[in-house]
Amino acid sequence: MTFPVIGVVGGGQLARMMAPAATALGFELRVLAEGEDVSAVSAVPATPVGDYKDLQTLLDFAEGLDVMTFDHEHVPTDHLRALQDAGVNVQPGPDALVHAQDKLVMRAAIDRLELPNPAWASVADVDALVRFGDETGWPVVLKTPRGGYDGKGVRIVASAEEAAEAADWFAAMSPLLAEAKVEFTRELSALVARTPDGEARAWPVVHTIQVDGVCDEVIAPALDIPLEVAAAAEDAALRIAAELDVTGVLAVELFETPGTGAGFLINELAMRPHNTGHWTQDGSITSQFEQHLRAVLNLPLGATDALAPVTVMKNFLGGDNQDLYSAYPMALATEPAAKVHCYGKSVRPGRKIGHVNLMGSSTTEVDSVRRRATAVAGIIRDGRVTTEEPSAIFEENA
């Protein structure tokens, strides 16, 4: 018997973090990298460089694979269908993945499943945007259906007069997605995994804190969330996975809206390991990266129990310190219990380059755990001790 070969399209940090799980299980991991300097190259020996938008490149990469999966959702849907037609085992398949690739398709599916959705519309021009805003109230959120991430492809339109400034977006892509701006108390994430045979497991619902459209911090589990809201969010994620035939990890990002409906609205979907699941590397029996590999291979899924009453994940972006390793002695001495995950990327301001996980023995310690994780991340980012405090825990309408 030979162990399976898994191909990952995209060489970012998610592919890089699949490597330890693949190694532990004896799987061979291959990565189709965008360039010779992307994150996964130093962690995965087999990393051919190629253009994921070129079908022949994808077909060549698929040779010898038992399954093909993804570090991102940007492979053209038509290419994914062509790969399937050629006999490639693509997980998740294009019929599922299109809901993470195209926000208009996703919104329509959430409506079809009768799950909590903000008011939305497909708008083809400025006039349609103005009509939507006048009907639902200003401001509204305008999004590009494809290609946006980490706050990119999103703009707040405050008034009918301001809508005219979005004309260049419609010239580049039409239709666009218009959404009512949601009044929320915090953002949540429901992370699940599902196999092709339909086995599914969920991790605890977590609280995510965004800064400038980028996930800055995760608190797992989300504290002070009503049990019925957490259960409904988990059930919604599991239902989406089942109804859309998702395989692998699915992240359902949510707005918490106390006192209204189910207590949350669905924001976005991601069908791959996700930033809001990085805490599972050290805080769960089975990490999202191991679970994703098990799921796409149709293997039994691992337990998703949390290993501590609270785990904090703190991202660090590129800052003043170009020599990250030089800060390790100070950072690791500051907090010996911290687990540092660095992505092997060159440092650029605002670029995700790593994260810190830190567990606490009690939920009452959450403020202390957040401060300590923030301190470690800040030392690595800046090369020195800073006085930075964690982000406000309730970033209303962040």
Side-chain angles (χ1 to χ4, degrees):
M1 178 180 291
T2 57
F3 281 86
V5 181
I6 303 168
V8 182
V9 178
Q13 64 261 25
L14 302 180
R16 177 189 180 94
M17 288 185 278
M18 292 182 205
T23 299
L25 288 165
F27 306 153
E28 180 183 343
L29 200 67
R30 300 177 187 171
V31 172
L32 180 62
E34 298 87 341
E36 295 180 354
D37 60 347
V38 296
S39 185
V41 169
S42 61
V44 181
T47 52
V49 174
D51 182 1
Y52 63 81
K53 296 185 294 295
D54 178 69
L55 177 58
Q56 189 57 53
T57 297
L58 292 169
L59 288 166
D60 291 344
F61 177 65
E63 289 292 326
L65 300 182
D66 290 283
V67 64
M68 178 186 288
T69 190
F70 308 96
D71 169 272
H72 58 70
E73 292 108 343
H74 304 316
V75 178
T77 307
D78 289 345
H79 288 3
L80 298 177
R81 298 192 195 285
L83 287 164
Q84 278 193 328
D85 291 343
V88 180
N89 181 15
V90 177
Q91 303 290 346
D95 290 341
L97 194 60
V98 69
H99 296 88
Q101 294 176 316
D102 191 311
K103 294 179 178 65
L104 287 169
V105 174
M106 180 269 290
R107 283 285 173 231
I110 300 303
D111 272 354
R112 187 171 66 251
L113 296 177
E114 299 181 338
L115 292 170
N117 227 2
W120 68 280
S122 172
V123 291
D125 51 33
V126 170
D127 289 343
L129 175 60
V130 170
R131 286 194 297 273
F132 176 79
D134 286 344
E135 290 169 3
T136 61
W138 301 94
V140 301
V141 182
L142 188 64
K143 297 180 178 180
T144 57
R146 287 180 176 257
Y149 65 96
D150 286 348
K152 300 176 177 66
V154 178
R155 68 193 294 169
I156 306 299
V157 182
S159 64
E161 292 74 23
E162 196 172 295
E165 299 174 11
D168 58 329
W169 276 32
F170 288 104
M173 182 183 298
S174 182
L176 300 176
L177 170 63
E179 297 176 351
K181 191 171 187 296
V182 176
E183 298 293 327
F184 62 91
T185 53
R186 59 179 169 177
E187 294 186 65
L188 305 170
S189 178
L191 195 75
V192 301
R194 181 177 177 275
T195 69
D197 280 350
E199 182 190 2
R201 287 182 181 263
W203 286 271
V205 174
V206 302
H207 172 192
T208 77
I209 299 167
Q210 314 291 316
V211 174
D212 297 328
V214 178
C215 180
D216 179 67
E217 194 175 356
V218 170
I219 301 169
L223 304 182
D224 301 321
I225 183 172
L227 291 177
E228 64 274 15
V229 174
E234 180 181 312
D235 288 346
L238 289 169
R239 186 171 173 218
I240 291 168
E243 296 285 347
L244 302 185
D245 198 24
V246 177
T247 52
V249 168
L250 166 71
V252 181
E253 296 182 84
L254 309 163
F255 296 125
E256 187 178 27
T257 55
T260 64
F264 63 87
L265 293 170
I266 292 170
N267 181 15
E268 294 187 355
L269 307 180
M271 295 181 191
R272 50 172 170 74
H274 192 255
N275 202 162
T276 61
H278 289 351
W279 71 274
T280 64
Q281 287 174 293
D282 304 295
S284 172
I285 291 176
T286 307
S287 79
Q288 65 168 342
F289 300 102
E290 177 184 340
Q291 197 82 301
H292 186 75
L293 298 181
R294 291 166 72 146
V296 299
L297 287 167
N298 208 23
L299 289 170
L301 298 179
T304 53
D305 308 65
L307 294 174
V310 64
T311 300
V312 171
M313 189 284 305
K314 173 69 176 181
N315 272 338
F316 52 91
L317 310 183
D320 294 336
N321 182 26
Q322 290 288 322
D323 182 5
L324 300 182
Y325 180 67
S326 69
Y328 272 30
M330 184 189 305
L332 301 181
T334 296
E335 186 51 66
K339 299 296 185 182
V340 175
H341 300 268
C342 205
Y343 303 156
K345 294 180 175 180
S346 59
V347 176
R348 292 202 305 264
R351 186 186 200 188
K352 287 182 187 176
I353 54 174
H355 67 271
V356 173
N357 285 333
L358 186 61
M359 292 182 281
S361 59
S362 167
T363 57
T364 61
E365 292 183 16
V366 64
D367 291 338
S368 170
V369 176
R370 295 181 70 217
R371 282 193 296 271
R372 286 149 52 203
T374 296
V376 174
I379 290 169
I380 297 173
R381 182 193 63 220
D382 298 327
R384 63 184 186 278
V385 176
T386 67
T387 57
E388 178 187 9
E389 285 293 315
S391 305
I393 195 164
F394 288 98
E395 297 247 302
E396 189 159 354
N397 300 330

